[in-house]
Amino acid sequence: MKSQLLGALLLILSIPSLHAQTLELSGKIQDKLSKEALVGVIVINQKDSKYTITDSEGNYSISVDQNDMIEFKYLGYLSTTMKASSIKSVISLSQDDYVLNQVVVSASRDAQKREEAPIAITSIGRTMLEETKAQSLDQVINKVPGVLMADLGSEQHMMAIRQPISTKSLFLYLEDGLPIRPTGIFNHNALNEMNMAVAQNIEVIRGPASALYGSEAIGGAINLITKTPSLVPTAQVQLRGDSYGYRRVDVTVEGTSKNGKFGASIGGYAAKRENGYLDHSDFDKTIVTAVLQYKVNESLVLKSNTTYMKYYSDMGSSLDSTSFYDRDFTSLHNFTKREIKLWRSTFTADKTWSENSKTVAKAFFRTNTLGQIPSYRIKNDWGNPSVAKGEVNESAFQSYGAVIQHNQKIPSLKTTIRVGASVDYSPTTFWANYIDVQRDENGRYVGYTSTDSVLTDYQTNLLNTGLYAQVEVNPIDRLFITAGVRSDHFKYDYTNNLGEEAFSGAPNSVNYFNAITPRVGATYTMLNGLGFYSNYSVGFMPPQVSELYRGVKVPTLEPSYYNNFEVGTWYTLPSGFGYVEGAYYNMSGKNEIVSVLQEDGSYENQNAGSTNHQGVEMALHFKPVSQLFVRVGGTYAEHTFEEFNTGKEDFSGNTMANAPNWIANMELTFKPRFLKGFRTSLEFQKVSVYYMDNQNTKKYDGYHVFNLRFGYQFKGLDTWFNIMNLTDELYATRVSKSSWGENYNLGAPRTFQLGIGYTISKNK
């Protein structure tokens, strides 16, 4: 009897201890690098498979026992499992840049799985951005298969995405889904107006995206997505420099209030180069971005994003063939320059009406002034070899606009409908004055004198309105069908401030352009991880302001259209080893604008060309063991003139200039387990031979470059050492040929980059 009573007593006493093992586990989950709250993370108790999902602030709560193993899973991030009793209040997850089915936003202006988007799109994640330690955006964007961003120095560039290396308005540059410049005044250097220091990730769309974003999204679109304020107070400082006079400091400070309602961040960098590898190539850039976010309630979030930039760069000349191959990097110019001042502000209201209904509205303001003494405008006076003519010019714009999009899910029909509208009103001005340029006995342009001779002086009020709609249907499991269409309307209201006798004496005029651009596509993913997609899309480009009004009359020009057919596939390798993907595209351009010789010897812009662009793009991300990462990407493409007659020469059937067949980028990354925090990578960039001119008379042999990177991260400390162009290859990022000769844009010689950074945050 006594033993029975003792057993009952022990059982009663044990009950509280058993209950003591059960706890309510709660906390926040954030991105390890950005400290951004992660919404939708699955928190699973492996014992009974019960789970919960993090809310809009990254919070979760789940009942567990102390010894349970808890797994945290999120698409695009490395999963992690921990014992319940050892889990801290804030969990940090690391991005996995070697998975395919990450979440993307640029394909629909809203978050969706990559496998649901019938489009060639690549997301460059925060991990890749941080580990590359890029001094300019080309050093990360060139990792995307089928993309070549040609570095022109001082963060200036040309682009090639399903097009030859070009300065034409064939590419759209976005910040958080909004174009950073209005249609009609494209600048091929526009990515130097971005703030790399605050990039959460960069998404690259290959192929036309006009059905969603409008004009100029033809070869592709690049969308830099800004970081949202971190969950915890965080500050980061990075110092870097290289062996050719480059110096830069990055600073970011951010955080969110304890109640999770208010978040703020400010970040940017100041960069300068003096006495670089190329003569007359100094530059100075300061850019800062401030983000404010306020959560009014569970369904309404307000956000503002403001960027200011001041930029100056020398504008040295390209090299002729003799100077290039003799490694004589002396510039013919010593006073040409480019200066930019800009301000961009965006206010966003994100309203969730219900689980299936959401509206996002953005209002924006932009002001941008670009002043130049351009080297490419200097022309010799053949009657007097000691003088030349040039110009000083300034283009400026202000923009006022808005974009609103509503997303409506209809679960019973397995359908999502997205409808939107946009308006952009941008008054623009442009003026240019002649200058008299002096030359020395060596043919260098050494000085100039201002004149009273006005070359150009006009203003153009640009108005672009657009309506678009997109429907996404999931009729059966793993099949997604997308169809969309956009209607755009443009008004160019041009006023010339000069008389008819001026070089730019085009009369006052109003021009209208309209376009309807459709898109349709489908994706299907099999159970074994093999997926397919196909799409048809149309891109269009209205004439640029400079193509219409920089002359003695206004030519009659129509928008250029591009029809793109595309098929693609991907396969997720078993056991998390990585993935492989590929795409084939065929794009035809109609009504391309070319400069046509007239009977009086002058040139006039006309719709006189048609082209064909086709190619295959491939990518392999392979992770055979946890310490080793292999990335292989490349494209084989052909760019030809179907019809191109200038009136003096017929290029029909020729290969387009600056159109390499092969572009490849490969990288091997090693992160040894025995030295936690250490990383090293070897990158290989290959650009094949291409014609320098449309006449197909001469070729450039192309180039290959190796880049070697080392880095070490210990808690908040991060150090790195990069050797760019490891073998000191002599190469040009672009070579062209004209009646004046050959022009080589010099690629950087072997460069040593060194940097150190420190991040401090509440949970470190």
Side-chain angles (χ1 to χ4, degrees):
M1 184 66 176
K2 288 182 179 181
S3 61
Q4 291 175 341
L5 290 173
L6 181 60
L9 180 62
L10 290 174
L11 179 61
I12 294 171
L13 292 174
S14 69
I15 291 176
S17 64
L18 287 173
H19 282 291
Q21 294 179 7
T22 301
L23 56 91
E24 190 69 17
L25 184 65
S26 62
K28 293 185 175 183
I29 302 179
Q30 65 182 12
D31 182 286
K32 183 177 181 180
L33 290 172
S34 70
K35 306 301 184 294
E36 178 184 12
L38 296 181
V39 181
V41 178
I42 303 174
V43 183
I44 307 173
N45 188 337
Q46 293 186 340
K47 180 181 70 175
D48 54 17
S49 296
K50 291 183 179 179
Y51 70 92
T52 187
I53 297 175
T54 57
D55 62 16
S56 59
E57 298 177 8
N59 295 317
Y60 73 93
S61 180
I62 186 172
S63 297
V64 298
D65 289 340
Q66 292 182 0
N67 295 324
D68 290 347
M69 299 302 294
I70 310 302
E71 183 179 11
F72 301 88
K73 297 178 64 176
Y74 191 53
L75 196 61
Y77 284 73
L78 296 171
S79 298
T80 185
T81 302
M82 290 178 282
K83 191 175 181 179
S85 59
S86 64
I87 294 176
K88 298 179 180 179
S89 60
V90 177
I91 301 296
S92 298
L93 298 185
S94 299
Q95 289 188 25
D96 187 355
D97 286 326
Y98 296 87
V99 299
L100 171 65
N101 297 321
Q102 70 267 40
V103 174
V104 295
V105 299
S106 300
S108 64
R109 292 183 183 264
D110 192 28
Q112 66 179 148
K113 290 183 180 180
R114 165 64 185 90
E115 64 182 5
E116 298 175 7
I119 192 171
I121 184 171
T122 298
S123 179
I124 303 170
R126 185 69 182 172
T127 300
M128 185 174 289
L129 292 173
E130 281 291 330
E131 293 182 355
T132 300
K133 300 299 181 185
Q135 290 187 179
S136 54
L137 280 173
D138 60 282
Q139 294 174 7
V140 289
I141 288 178
N142 284 339
K143 298 176 187 292
V144 176
V147 176
L148 178 63
M149 183 176 173
D151 176 29
L152 302 181
S154 303
E155 297 191 22
Q156 300 171 104
H157 61 91
M158 295 183 187
M159 189 63 70
I161 308 175
R162 297 189 176 181
Q163 292 283 331
I165 306 169
S166 176
T167 62
K168 287 188 175 182
S169 53
L170 299 167
F171 316 102
L172 186 62
Y173 303 134
L174 308 157
E175 181 182 63
D176 297 323
L178 292 176
I180 61 173
R181 297 178 68 88
T183 295
I185 50 174
F186 176 80
N187 187 321
H188 67 87
N189 290 312
L191 284 176
N192 68 5
E193 300 176 2
M194 294 293 197
N195 189 349
M196 292 182 282
V198 298
Q200 170 62 28
N201 59 298
I202 301 172
E203 294 185 352
V204 181
I205 296 174
R206 305 190 299 280
S210 293
L212 191 64
Y213 292 106
S215 67
E216 296 177 351
I218 295 166
I222 296 176
N223 188 12
L224 186 147
I225 299 170
T226 307
K227 290 193 298 180
T228 58
S230 60
L231 279 175
V232 296
T234 303
Q236 182 185 70
V237 178
Q238 293 186 345
L239 304 174
R240 69 183 80 192
D242 72 19
S243 54
Y244 283 104
Y246 181 86
R247 302 293 183 267
R248 175 171 145 186
V249 57
D250 295 47
V251 179
T252 303
V253 180
E254 55 186 329
T256 300
S257 61
K258 289 184 178 181
N259 61 8
K261 282 187 170 293
F262 180 74
S265 71
I266 183 168
Y269 65 94
K272 176 181 286 190
R273 183 187 296 281
E274 295 179 320
N275 302 318
Y277 54 86
L278 185 64
D279 188 27
H280 193 59
S281 63
D282 291 357
F283 96 107
D284 194 328
K285 174 181 176 179
T286 300
I287 189 167
V288 62
T289 299
V291 177
L292 300 176
Q293 182 170 289
Y294 180 67
K295 182 179 178 182
V296 179
N297 51 47
E298 289 297 327
S299 65
L300 178 61
V301 178
L302 306 178
K303 183 178 179 182
S304 70
N305 185 319
T306 298
T307 294
Y308 170 79
M309 186 188 83
K310 184 177 181 181
Y311 173 95
Y312 170 89
S313 71
D314 292 336
M315 191 187 296
S317 61
S318 56
L319 304 174
D320 60 27
S321 59
T322 301
S323 298
F324 177 76
Y325 287 107
D326 288 347
R327 293 179 181 261
D328 177 7
F329 303 151
T330 303
S331 174
L332 294 177
H333 308 88
N334 66 2
F335 61 85
T336 48
K337 63 179 181 177
R338 174 177 286 120
E339 295 180 272
I340 305 172
K341 289 184 179 180
L342 67 83
W343 179 286
R344 291 192 300 267
S345 290
T346 304
F347 177 79
T348 303
D350 191 326
K351 173 65 175 178
T352 300
W353 305 98
S354 68
E355 182 181 356
N356 299 312
S357 184
K358 177 182 176 182
T359 301
V360 178
K362 296 176 181 279
F364 61 85
F365 169 75
R366 303 176 294 215
T367 180
N368 187 306
T369 301
L370 168 61
Q372 299 185 102
I373 303 178
S375 58
Y376 56 83
R377 292 292 185 193
I378 294 180
K379 306 297 180 184
N380 293 332
D381 184 342
W382 298 111
N384 185 351
S386 65
V387 298
K389 290 289 186 181
E391 71 177 63
V392 54
N393 64 44
E394 181 182 281
S395 62
F397 67 83
Q398 290 187 336
S399 296
Y400 312 87
V403 175
I404 184 169
Q405 177 171 310
H406 180 73
N407 305 314
Q408 183 68 49
K409 294 182 180 179
I410 308 175
S412 61
L413 300 178
K414 296 184 178 180
T415 297
T416 299
I417 299 174
R418 310 182 195 275
V419 294
S422 65
V423 60
D424 185 336
Y425 174 65
S426 297
T428 73
T429 60
F430 182 83
W431 63 261
N433 282 16
Y434 275 118
I435 57 175
D436 290 323
V437 178
Q438 294 89 46
R439 301 179 71 194
D440 65 14
E441 62 276 7
N442 297 316
R444 298 186 68 199
Y445 307 99
V446 294
Y448 72 95
T449 303
S450 300
T451 73
D452 294 329
S453 180
V454 181
L455 174 63
T456 304
D457 185 2
Y458 64 78
Q459 62 191 53
T460 311
N461 295 332
L462 305 174
L463 177 62
N464 173 207
T465 57
L467 298 171
Y468 63 91
Q470 182 167 295
V471 179
E472 301 159 12
V473 183
N474 179 206
I476 61 174
D477 192 26
R478 303 187 304 281
L479 173 65
F480 295 88
I481 300 173
T482 300
V485 65
R486 180 180 174 112
S487 174
D488 273 282
H489 308 274
F490 295 89
K491 178 183 178 182
Y492 291 13
D493 188 351
Y494 166 77
T495 301
N496 194 347
N497 298 322
L498 301 180
E500 295 181 358
E501 71 281 357
F503 167 78
S504 180
N508 297 348
S509 61
V510 178
N511 296 92
Y512 296 91
F513 304 97
N514 302 291
I516 295 178
T517 48
R519 182 179 80 170
V520 62
T523 69
Y524 182 74
T525 306
M526 302 175 68
L527 290 175
N528 62 359
L530 177 64
F532 305 91
Y533 80 88
S534 64
N535 77 56
Y536 166 74
S537 58
V538 175
F540 82 101
M541 176 182 64
Q544 296 293 295
V545 169
S546 60
E547 292 171 332
L548 283 170
Y549 308 125
R550 191 180 171 93
V552 295
K553 64 179 181 178
V554 179
T556 301
L557 296 174
E558 297 295 329
S560 304
Y561 280 87
Y562 296 79
N563 293 286
N564 181 74
F565 297 89
E566 181 176 345
V567 293
T569 185
W570 64 82
Y571 177 60
T572 302
L573 301 176
S575 304
F577 284 152
Y579 71 90
V580 60
E581 64 176 335
Y584 167 77
Y585 67 90
N586 190 310
M587 180 166 59
S588 297
K590 303 294 182 184
N591 285 338
E592 295 202 27
I593 298 172
V594 298
S595 185
V596 178
L597 180 66
Q598 305 300 297
E599 291 183 359
D600 62 1
S602 64
Y603 282 85
E604 179 181 309
N605 288 320
Q606 294 182 8
N607 294 109
S610 62
T611 59
N612 180 260
H613 313 267
Q614 59 178 321
V616 176
E617 299 161 346
M618 297 294 296
L620 168 66
H621 284 200
F622 185 49
K623 188 177 178 181
V625 294
S626 61
Q627 305 170 71
L628 190 64
F629 308 90
V630 180
R631 179 184 54 78
V632 179
T635 183
Y636 176 83
E638 296 177 350
H639 306 279
T640 57
F641 291 110
E642 291 185 334
E643 180 185 347
F644 184 22
N645 194 326
T646 67
K648 184 178 180 180
E649 296 177 286
D650 187 355
F651 301 128
S652 301
N654 285 11
T655 297
M656 299 178 72
N658 304 117
N661 291 131
W662 289 97
I663 299 172
N665 188 285
M666 312 174 195
E667 192 166 23
L668 178 66
T669 301
F670 181 53
K671 298 179 180 180
R673 186 180 296 111
F674 60 82
L675 185 57
K676 188 177 180 181
F678 178 80
R679 63 184 185 272
T680 183
S681 66
L682 179 64
E683 180 185 26
F684 173 72
Q685 174 82 43
K686 171 67 177 177
V687 175
S688 73
V689 62
Y690 59 80
Y691 284 109
M692 299 181 186
D693 56 357
N694 292 331
Q695 292 88 345
N696 293 176
T697 62
K698 191 167 184 180
K699 292 182 177 180
Y700 174 55
D701 290 335
Y703 62 88
H704 59 272
V705 174
F706 289 92
N707 302 315
L708 181 62
R709 296 180 173 93
F710 300 93
Y712 180 67
Q713 188 171 18
F714 177 74
K715 294 185 177 180
L717 182 67
D718 191 12
T719 61
W720 64 93
F721 177 63
N722 301 336
I723 307 175
M724 310 300 288
N725 191 0
L726 180 65
T727 60
D728 202 20
E729 170 97 352
L730 176 65
Y731 74 102
T733 56
R734 181 181 183 263
V735 183
S736 61
K737 180 177 179 293
S738 67
S739 57
W740 303 100
E742 298 171 12
N743 299 292
Y744 291 74
N745 292 107
L746 179 66
R750 179 166 50 228
T751 304
F752 300 98
Q753 302 174 349
L754 182 65
I756 185 170
Y758 190 76
T759 302
I760 182 171
S761 63
K762 182 179 178 181
N763 63 318
K764 280 192 177 291

